Amino acid sequence: MNNFVYHNPTKLVFGKGQIAQLAKLIPAGKKIMITFGGGSVRRNGIYDQVVKALEGRDWVEFWGIEPNPSVETVREAIALGREHGSEFLLAVGGGSVIDGTKLIAAGLLYDGDPWDIVLKGQADKTVPLGTVLTMSATGSEMNSGSVISRQETKEKYAFYGDYPVFSILDPETLYSLPQRQIACGLSDTFVHVLEQYMTTPGQSRLMDRWAEGILHTVIEIAPKIWENQHDYAVMSEYMLGATLALNDMIRMGVTQDWATHMIGHELTALHGLTHGATLAIVINGTLRVLREQKRGKLLQYGERIWGIADGSEEERIDRTLEATKKFFRSLGLSTRLSEEGIGETTIAEIERRFNASGVKYGEAQNVDGAAARRILEACM
Ligand code: NZQ
Ligand code: ZN
């Protein structure tokens, strides 16, 4: 195992009715800014629960943090927070609302433009932030990352800051999610695990088994969710599974990939394709192109997750790649770029961007512009 520091300070408050805990979780006397997305919380009753829990407290509301939150919107929120003197932020929504609010938290304590923070990749100081999660996918509720888009230039990058102080996870909030959002959430969860697992074998039994536990759980619950999205026990596993997939827990002391995510962010930036939907496509290309490099782990994953233990190594890997693709298709997601009308123009632009910034992603630092092209071509 490699050296590592693990320090995740987010308090998770899990379960039915837990939004009522807000008054205790947010320190008394603080001026609060509550941030929301486009209005789903008004329709499903979550807004009313938040308002009831915070009765008598001093807050302002900022509405309209969009999916793939933009720096343009965040600038408006920072202006409102400054005017109000907000000292505590409460994000009520999915990964986008939480990520946008993470940049608001940093921007409130920064004199320049918040896009500087995104480009730097790191926030120095932040206003404390709590969350009420309404969409499970990103793990943003229990990690320090945030991914922000700039509409003007069609760019999308991650930066890192502080973890949320607390996050409330009530599985009942997920009952109102559209099926496609759940499909994208399961895809995101699955690929988060693969980014931290599908590298080289023999680094840590513990990390492997934790990662495989989450993969098995996602595969088992997906059909149960389609049967009944109001099954509290199943939605609980989905909610906690998504959080555990990206809260630093399964990557202690092991190498990580993340090339699929970096290519996926470009597809979202250029085409607006939902995050989980980009991953369901790109991961198939990544696994195919990096098949040799990931051979040992592909064999382990094939055997332990899909029960593929017979035949030559080549046959086993072929069947493993096929099973993985079939899983994403079972979620109702595309697995090829052409299905989304994306082709050579986009591939050329992503290759150009990777070359221009000189990036090298992946556990072997070998996913550059040319490799990104090969990966994207493999998912045409
Ligand atoms: O805006 P509203 O009206 O609330 O509707 C949202 C939005 O349209 C809707 N929704 C959320 N909760 C709902 C609901 N609809 C009905 N019932 C509910 N309970 O769902 C739509 C999508 O929400 P969004 O927050 O965009 O989804 P998600 O949680 O998947 O977040 C995606 C963003 O997170 C980034 C992605 O790149 C993308 O920008 N990521 C953040 C990460 C992180 N911070 O660690 C890591 C991830 O890899 C990812 O990159
Ligand atoms: Zn993701």
Side-chain angles (χ1 to χ4, degrees):
M1 264 198 212
N2 299 326
N3 293 2
F4 66 90
V5 173
Y6 175 83
H7 179 81
N8 190 323
T10 304
K11 179 188 278 191
L12 271 196
V13 180
F14 188 94
K16 244 178 238 192
Q18 293 307 300
I19 294 175
Q21 301 289 338
L22 274 175
K24 278 191 227 147
L25 291 164
I26 301 179
K30 294 280 181 205
K31 285 169 160 273
I32 308 164
M33 174 156 71
I34 314 181
T35 53
F36 303 96
S40 67
V41 295
R42 277 199 200 278
R43 295 185 290 276
N44 58 20
I46 296 171
Y47 175 75
D48 294 337
Q49 291 184 54
V50 169
V51 166
K52 187 163 170 235
L54 290 177
E55 215 180 317
R57 304 290 287 265
D58 172 356
W59 83 77
V60 283
E61 296 177 10
F62 182 84
W63 288 84
I65 300 184
E66 64 278 71
N68 311 311
S70 71
V71 68
E72 287 89 350
T73 300
V74 166
R75 286 183 191 126
E76 290 172 28
I78 291 172
L80 177 68
R82 288 220 167 105
E83 195 184 304
H84 172 248
S86 305
E87 304 158 291
F88 194 98
L89 302 179
L90 177 66
V92 181
S96 293
V97 173
I98 299 175
D99 282 7
T101 309
K102 285 178 175 174
L103 186 56
I104 299 168
L108 279 171
L109 301 181
Y110 178 71
D111 281 340
D113 185 60
W115 189 246
D116 301 344
I117 300 168
V118 179
L119 290 182
K120 190 175 165 207
Q122 185 69 43
D124 298 328
K125 284 181 294 186
T126 62
V127 170
L129 150 72
T131 89
V132 172
L133 186 66
T134 68
M135 152 84 200
S136 283
T138 66
S140 188
E141 65 278 6
M142 200 178 181
N143 69 39
S144 61
S146 162
V147 191
I148 303 293
S149 299
R150 185 173 169 194
Q151 287 166 350
E152 207 188 332
T153 50
K154 295 195 172 192
E155 290 170 286
K156 187 179 190 205
Y157 305 119
F159 80 94
Y160 297 84
D162 288 316
Y163 293 72
V165 181
F166 67 80
S167 282
I168 298 179
L169 273 60
D170 176 348
E172 290 188 332
T173 62
L174 308 180
Y175 290 177
S176 58
L177 279 169
Q179 248 202 29
R180 183 171 163 85
Q181 287 301 335
I182 295 181
C184 288
L186 292 170
S187 164
D188 199 15
T189 302
F190 200 85
V191 178
H192 287 160
V193 177
L194 290 184
E195 299 274 26
Q196 300 163 91
Y197 167 86
M198 189 58 73
T199 55
T200 46
Q203 298 186 63
S204 166
R205 286 176 180 78
L206 265 175
M207 294 303 125
D208 282 1
R209 298 291 188 187
W210 260 344
E212 288 157 1
I214 298 172
L215 295 176
H216 276 302
T217 304
V218 171
I219 293 164
E220 271 174 39
I221 63 173
K224 297 191 193 306
I225 297 177
W226 307 142
E227 264 167 42
N228 178 11
Q229 196 182 316
H230 292 233
D231 181 329
Y232 182 78
V234 170
M235 296 311 268
S236 299
E237 305 264 28
Y238 163 35
M239 196 166 215
L240 189 58
T243 301
L244 297 182
L246 196 52
N247 73 345
D248 309 343
M249 191 186 84
I250 64 166
R251 62 173 171 217
M252 294 182 208
V254 298
T255 56
Q256 302 168 55
D257 183 341
W258 296 106
T260 297
H261 264 71
M262 294 306 158
I263 298 171
H265 289 337
E266 296 296 337
L267 293 176
T268 303
L270 294 165
H271 291 276
L273 191 59
T274 303
H275 176 63
T278 69
L279 305 175
I281 296 172
V282 178
I283 188 70
N284 300 291
T286 303
L287 298 182
R288 278 177 64 184
V289 170
L290 299 176
R291 176 183 177 123
E292 276 318 308
Q293 180 179 313
K294 295 179 184 293
R295 167 175 293 265
K297 214 54 181 280
L298 277 168
L299 289 164
Q300 176 180 320
Y301 159 76
E303 180 166 357
R304 293 190 187 173
I305 302 299
W306 300 109
I308 299 169
D310 301 327
S312 70
E313 286 196 356
E314 298 317 318
E315 283 163 9
R316 282 155 60 191
I317 294 176
D318 285 344
R319 282 161 58 205
T320 299
L321 297 183
E322 209 39 54
T324 305
K325 191 186 273 188
K326 219 171 124 196
F327 168 68
F328 289 108
R329 295 208 81 87
S330 78
L331 301 177
L333 298 173
S334 306
T335 51
R336 311 194 75 83
L337 282 176
S338 49
E339 292 172 84
E340 297 295 332
I342 298 172
E344 170 54 30
T345 315
T346 300
I347 297 178
E349 175 59 11
I350 296 175
E351 182 181 25
R352 188 194 68 74
R353 286 180 173 197
F354 276 27
N355 286 339
S357 50
V359 291
K360 286 188 168 55
Y361 296 121
E363 73 275 14
Q365 307 260 286
N366 57 357
V367 180
D368 54 8
R373 164 175 284 283
R374 285 197 297 280
I375 288 170
L376 287 163
E377 283 175 351
C379 23
M380 279 300 288

